[in-house]
Amino acid sequence: MLVLFLCAGYARAANPPSISGIWKGTLGAQPITACYTSAEYGFYYYDKHATPIRLSLYVPANLPDVNAAQLRFKEASPGHKENQADSVWTIRTADAERLVAIWSGHGKELAIRLNRVRNSGNCGDKSFIDGIHFPVASTEIDKVSGIHYVKLSYMNADEFRNERPSMLIRLVGKDKITAKINADLLDVMPDSPTYCPSGDNNDSAATESPGSGELEPVFLTEHWVYATWVFYPGSCGSAEVPERGGVLWNRVTGEKMTDLWSWFGSGKKTATKSLELIIGRHMEKSVARDEESDEDVVACDDSMGVSDDIDVSMDAKGFVFWLGAGSMRPCTVQVPFAEIIPMLNDKGRANVASIRTDLARYP
């Protein structure tokens, strides 16, 4: 989720100025637009580039009682985790009409002079987001199984307004198959909003509650890409039941595979008696996850029901079976590849053999 709030390790300024609202002016010679939801966080963007940059309260440990709020920022689109301050705004004066500050960073200092446009501190206000070029995508290079990829925070105006970015990935490369897989990656998760009635059950008055998703690579090798996704639909005040899925791509042919059940003997989404026995043996070693706290909360047991709402995905060690896949708290059971191979059809065995050969290069 979008990290906007003050890190617990930072102190608050004793008497921060009243800066909540939307402002326009200049940073050095560059026109900018800024918003502050409070004296603790906000965004700004250069009008020329129109990409939002997050601002978070930054009070150095050796100045615990400064009266001017110092806001740190990292020049990247929202969605990244908090980082050390590369540059700092030091606000000198702020009143009902004007804000004067100093930008310092990279060995330079520039004057900031802003005029208030609105008193509203909502960074989703039309007067602020109308100037942003959407969709916004921030990037960070990472790697898994020795192969590099790009992590994306990708959002449209609704996702920005509701502070719900989607986290995706993109492969590094310019060949046609990589381009095809990257296009697929941007279209993996559902994109349908939840419609929340206004209270009078009048559908015409319903409002959209956008969802958000997370797509993470499980393994990425010379010949294979496997990624799992979780999509959190928009909530109308009730619990959100996330949707889940996994997608496998062959990096040689570009083939996209979304249903691992097709690798099993029956080719259907069902657990045979033999597979149920294997899953049952591993249930005691597995745990359920609480989606809100992301913590282990209860061990799997026979009450989960092996054949009810079962789904299958993979990790670098084997197959993962989701019991109660349509619930808030599914139980995940991991089974090594070797135990599942006898259950697979010819296509499944060939693909698993290729995947295991690739993964063996990255112990």
Side-chain angles (χ1 to χ4, degrees):
M1 303 299 290
L2 183 60
V3 183
L4 291 173
F5 293 96
L6 179 68
C7 290
Y10 288 99
R12 286 177 170 80
N15 296 295
S18 177
I19 59 175
S20 296
I22 297 172
W23 306 76
K24 279 187 171 291
T26 56
L27 191 163
Q30 298 295 318
I32 65 170
T33 301
C35 75
Y36 303 94
T37 297
S38 69
E40 295 183 359
Y41 69 89
F43 293 91
Y44 83 98
Y45 56 81
Y46 291 90
D47 293 356
K48 180 179 179 180
H49 303 295
T51 299
I53 300 165
R54 187 176 62 246
L55 295 166
S56 301
L57 181 65
Y58 170 67
V59 180
N62 62 339
L63 295 173
D65 298 319
V66 291
N67 290 325
Q70 290 187 321
L71 297 164
R72 69 171 185 166
F73 67 84
K74 175 75 174 178
E75 294 202 2
S77 301
H80 280 219
K81 295 180 179 179
E82 294 295 328
N83 295 290
Q84 293 183 346
D86 283 349
S87 307
V88 175
W89 290 37
T90 304
I91 298 175
R92 298 305 188 192
T93 62
D95 55 33
E97 301 295 332
R98 286 173 293 278
L99 183 151
V100 177
I102 298 295
W103 178 96
S104 56
H106 311 291
K108 298 188 295 184
E109 288 192 349
L110 299 170
I112 299 171
R113 295 184 176 88
L114 304 176
N115 295 311
R116 193 187 294 270
V117 175
R118 290 178 63 90
N119 287 322
S120 168
N122 181 3
C123 290
D125 190 277
K126 188 174 186 295
S127 58
F128 183 73
I129 67 172
D130 273 1
I132 300 174
H133 291 164
F134 289 106
V136 170
S138 63
T139 61
E140 182 179 346
I141 300 291
D142 207 338
K143 69 178 181 179
V144 62
S145 303
I147 308 295
H148 284 89
Y149 67 98
V150 176
K151 294 194 291 188
L152 286 165
S153 169
Y154 190 84
M155 70 182 77
N156 57 31
D158 283 338
E159 289 166 335
F160 181 87
R161 185 182 292 110
N162 289 275
E163 300 176 4
R164 295 173 64 103
S166 288
M167 308 303 292
L168 306 177
I169 63 172
R170 187 177 69 224
L171 306 186
V172 176
K174 297 182 179 179
D175 59 278
K176 290 183 178 180
I177 290 179
T178 298
K180 176 187 179 299
I181 294 174
N182 282 335
D184 288 342
L185 284 166
L186 287 176
D187 197 34
V188 163
M189 290 180 291
D191 191 28
S192 55
T194 298
Y195 288 91
C196 304
S198 61
D200 56 5
N201 294 320
N202 183 354
D203 289 341
S204 64
T207 59
E208 291 186 7
S209 177
S212 64
E214 299 173 3
L215 177 70
E216 292 285 346
V218 178
F219 53 78
L220 172 57
T221 71
E222 292 89 342
H223 306 108
W224 298 94
V225 179
Y226 186 67
T228 56
W229 56 266
V230 180
F231 181 76
Y232 302 91
S235 173
C236 298
S238 58
E240 300 177 4
V241 178
E243 301 177 47
R244 295 178 177 83
V247 187
L248 179 77
W249 287 269
N250 185 315
R251 295 189 71 189
V252 178
T253 65
E255 181 185 4
K256 174 183 175 182
M257 290 161 268
T258 59
D259 183 13
L260 295 182
W261 282 114
S262 66
W263 294 9
F264 286 73
S266 65
K268 298 179 181 179
K269 184 177 180 179
T270 183
T272 63
K273 290 296 182 182
S274 298
L275 183 56
E276 285 185 17
L277 290 174
I278 292 174
I279 294 173
R281 289 202 302 268
H282 288 269
M283 287 178 72
E284 293 182 359
K285 304 175 185 178
S286 301
V287 296
R289 302 291 292 178
D290 184 279
E291 290 293 339
E292 185 173 345
S293 64
D294 194 31
E295 295 179 350
D296 300 345
V297 292
V298 64
C300 297
D301 55 44
D302 291 337
S303 65
M304 296 297 297
V306 172
S307 59
D308 297 332
D309 297 320
I310 185 172
D311 209 344
V312 61
S313 61
M314 280 192 293
D315 61 19
K317 296 180 179 180
F319 285 85
V320 178
F321 296 91
W322 296 75
L323 310 184
S327 67
M328 283 293 292
R329 191 173 290 175
C331 173
T332 59
V333 181
Q334 184 189 66
V335 182
F337 284 120
E339 293 187 43
I340 297 298
I341 287 175
M343 308 290 164
L344 303 179
N345 55 33
D346 290 344
K347 179 178 181 180
R349 292 180 185 183
N351 287 341
V352 167
S354 176
I355 290 169
R356 295 180 76 188
T357 298
D358 274 9
L359 290 174
R361 301 177 186 178
Y362 302 99

